[in-house]
Amino acid sequence: MDAIVWDMDGTLVDSEPIWSIATFELAEHLGAPLTAEKRQETIGGSFSNTFRVCATNASVTPTRELEQTWYAWMVDRMGQLFAEHLHVDDGIVRLLDSIHRAGIPMAVATNTPRVLAQPALDALGEELFATTICGDEVAHGKPAPDMYLEAVTRLGATAADTLVFEDSTTGMAAAVAAGCTVIGLPADEHTTVADGVTTIGQLTGTPPQGNAVLAASSLDEITDWFTRLRGARG
C-alpha cells in the first residue's frame, strides 16, 4: 500500500446530514421541495450538480448567474451549520494519527470547495495529510477521475497501490476510474455501490454503517483489507 486517499463528507466526517439541511433549504428557496430520491442525486457531487438538480426540480432554468448567487448563499449557510453541528469522531482522528505516525502518506480528495472544506480539515488535523484537494481546485470534480489522479501524483504513488475510502456512488466511480483500489462506505442499503468497489461491510461482515465501522478500525485491519483486495485484483 503506497498511500491512502480519503473522501471527506460522509467518510471522515459525518457531514452529509448537514449538507442535507442546506440542500433541502436551497430547493425550497428555488420553489419546490426535493424528494429523498432527488437528494440522492446530489450526494458526493459538486455544487453545480446540486444546483442543477434543485433548479430543474423547481422548473427553474439553472443559469450561471443564478448558480453564483446561490453558491454564495450555500457558502454562508454551510458555514453557519458547520459551526453549530460539525462533529469529528475521536476514533477517526486516532486512526488518522496512527497511519500518519506509521509513515503512510495520506490525502483528502473532496468535491467540497476549499472555503467550505477548511473547517472540517482543521477539525481532522490537516497536518496529518500530505496534501488536500478540493472541488474548486481541479478542472473536473467527481465522478471524473481528475481529483484522484492528482492525489496519486502528488503522493508519488501508483494508482493500484493507493487505497481510497469513499461513501458516495459518485466518489466511488471517480476512484475506480482513476485505477485505485477502493473500499466503499455506503451509508445504507439504498446507496448504489459502483462496479469495482468492495464495501467495508463485505470486508468485515457487518451491515452498512457509513463511517462508524471505519472509526472503530485499526491500521492493521486496513492493511489486511488492502492486501486482500490487491490479491483479488492480481
Side-chain angles (χ1 to χ4, degrees), residues 26-27 29-31 47-75:
L26 172 62
H29 285 308
L30 287 168
F47 176 77
S48 291
N49 176 69
T50 295
F51 177 73
R52 179 188 55 78
V53 170
C54 292
T56 302
N57 182 68
S59 299
V60 172
T61 302
T63 65
R64 181 61 178 163
E65 291 74 20
L66 270 181
E67 180 180 333
Q68 290 174 336
T69 296
W70 286 107
Y71 175 76
W73 176 88
M74 182 66 84
V75 169

Side-chain angles (χ1 to χ4, degrees), residues 7 16 39-40 42-46 49 111 142-143 167-168 170-171:
D7 170 55
E16 285 301 344
R39 162 61 180 146
Q40 283 289 325
T42 71
I43 295 176
S46 64
N49 176 69
N111 259 357
K142 307 170 191 177
D167 71 308
S168 71
T170 298

